[in-house]
Amino acid sequence: MLDPAGEATRAAAGRLGVTGVTRLRIGKAIEVELDADDQASARAQLELLSDRLLANPVIENWNLERLEPASASPT
Amino acid sequence: MTVGIVVFPGSNCDRDVRWALEGCLGIPTRFLWHEVRDLSGLDAVVIPGGFSYGDYLRCGAIARFAPVLEEVRQFAERGGAVLGICNGFQVLTEMGLLPGALTRNEKLHFICEPAELVVQRGACRWLQGYADGENVTFPIAHGEGRYQCEPHQLRALEEGGQVVLRYRRNPNGSVGDVAGLSNAQGNVLGLMPHPERACDSQTGGIDGRRLLASLLG
């Protein structure tokens, strides 16, 4: 899938003097905080959200990454 | 004969569509705020251009969940005539009423200019007022109008006669020069160009009139 914004940015990288960039694609990072009973339930809800709302699978790929809040105490 | 015109927060061609239908063609219209569910008495629904919900997330992504569109989906599935123009086309693809997606223009520019189109009307109810192969000029005004779908999907659309409008000079990098698509049944049409801006002879020609008047029979 052509990513014209990524291509324009790659060209700008060359003009900055960083000439070795062979691939640059631009996407989105979306931070979600979610209340759920357990991790499996959280993952299922996030997969639904990613597939049906946050991304359009026709033109976008997505993956989930779990971030631990820096100050959270383990439970 | 009454045509519903969907209005989202951020729609900006709703009044243009009303002027084209009522002012130029004498067809009564009713605005449908995004929260309404009552489509009673309507013969067709237009989803107009603009920036529904500020184009947040993706063009048309939030609009897909509007209450009025649940009703529009059922209306379309019952064979009701539905027209999506520009942002309305983006909404129809997000809803899955039409396949594929509209993405950022190849050269990144927002393009606002007249576009020459070739009609291949097939079974599309909105285009029966045109001849096959006829050239028409409708304005385009979009930043995200590059139609994308899988090659096998494009072949199926072409073989099924659903690619009903093509650009003569592709302005945005759309696959197959796609400017407008019909569903297989012919009652749903989505297109990036603006037929409602080609209905008043004082502002941009009248090539769009036959599209909007097609439902009068």
Side-chain angles (χ1 to χ4, degrees):
Chain A
M1 171 75 61
L2 175 70
D3 171 17
E7 278 303 304
T9 308
R10 194 173 70 87
R15 290 193 290 274
L16 180 65
V18 182
T19 55
V21 179
T22 55
R23 185 167 184 270
L24 192 160
R25 297 185 67 82
I26 293 181
K28 297 185 186 88
I30 299 173
E31 294 185 8
V32 180
E33 294 181 14
L34 178 78
D35 288 329
D37 293 336
D38 51 46
Q39 271 203 43
S41 154
R43 173 161 284 274
Q45 293 183 71
L46 288 168
E47 285 179 353
L48 175 66
L49 201 57
S50 301
D51 195 56
R52 300 284 301 281
L53 174 61
L54 301 181
N56 179 346
V58 175
I59 47 171
E60 294 166 317
N61 299 316
W62 55 268
N63 62 61
L64 292 174
E65 188 179 335
R66 184 165 176 237
L67 302 173
E68 294 295 341
S71 59
S73 54
T75 54
Chain B
M1 175 89 204
T2 303
V3 177
I5 302 169
V6 174
V7 184
F8 299 110
S11 294
N12 67 8
C13 297
D14 41 344
R15 286 175 176 77
D16 297 28
V17 172
R18 170 168 274 183
W19 170 251
L21 285 167
E22 288 199 0
C24 301
L25 296 166
I27 301 171
T29 63
R30 187 165 98 221
F31 282 140
L32 303 170
W33 183 237
H34 64 130
E35 290 169 330
V36 308
R37 290 180 177 275
D38 178 15
L39 303 192
S40 60
L42 296 179
D43 299 283
V45 173
V46 179
I47 308 175
F51 300 84
S52 56
Y53 304 91
D55 274 355
Y56 294 162
L57 193 60
R58 283 182 313 281
C59 306
I62 312 279
R64 174 159 76 90
F65 294 95
V68 68
L69 289 191
E70 288 175 34
E71 305 302 320
V72 171
R73 176 192 299 280
Q74 290 175 23
F75 181 78
E77 286 169 356
R78 289 195 303 269
V82 174
L83 173 66
I85 303 168
C86 199
N87 187 227
F89 186 13
Q90 295 164 340
V91 170
L92 289 174
T93 61
E94 283 282 341
M95 290 172 75
L97 283 179
L98 293 172
L102 283 310
T103 61
R104 195 87 181 269
N105 293 344
E106 189 173 37
K107 306 285 188 207
L108 296 172
H109 295 293
F110 188 98
I111 307 169
C112 186
E113 62 188 25
E116 282 184 56
L117 311 171
V118 184
V119 179
Q120 287 294 337
R121 63 187 190 174
C124 181
R125 279 167 58 187
W126 295 92
L127 295 173
Q128 295 305 307
Y130 301 87
D132 269 336
E134 184 171 349
N135 291 338
V136 297
T137 300
F138 296 167
I140 55 171
H142 60 246
E144 287 164 301
R146 179 168 55 100
Y147 182 73
Q148 292 288 293
C149 67
E150 297 290 337
H152 68 88
Q153 223 169 11
L154 180 63
R155 271 196 306 280
L157 289 168
E158 287 173 335
E159 285 164 9
Q162 291 179 243
V163 181
V164 290
L165 290 166
R166 290 184 202 261
Y167 298 109
R168 289 197 66 196
R169 285 178 292 278
N170 192 333
N172 54 24
S174 291
V175 296
D177 302 326
V178 170
L181 279 185
S182 169
N183 66 346
Q185 296 74 29
N187 58 309
V188 177
L189 170 64
L191 75 168
M192 288 311 297
H194 288 270
E196 82 282 14
R197 297 189 193 176
C199 286
D200 189 325
S201 55
Q202 296 185 41
T203 56
I206 57 167
D207 282 357
R209 283 192 178 197
R210 279 172 288 161
L211 192 158
L212 293 177
S214 63
L215 303 170
L216 293 174

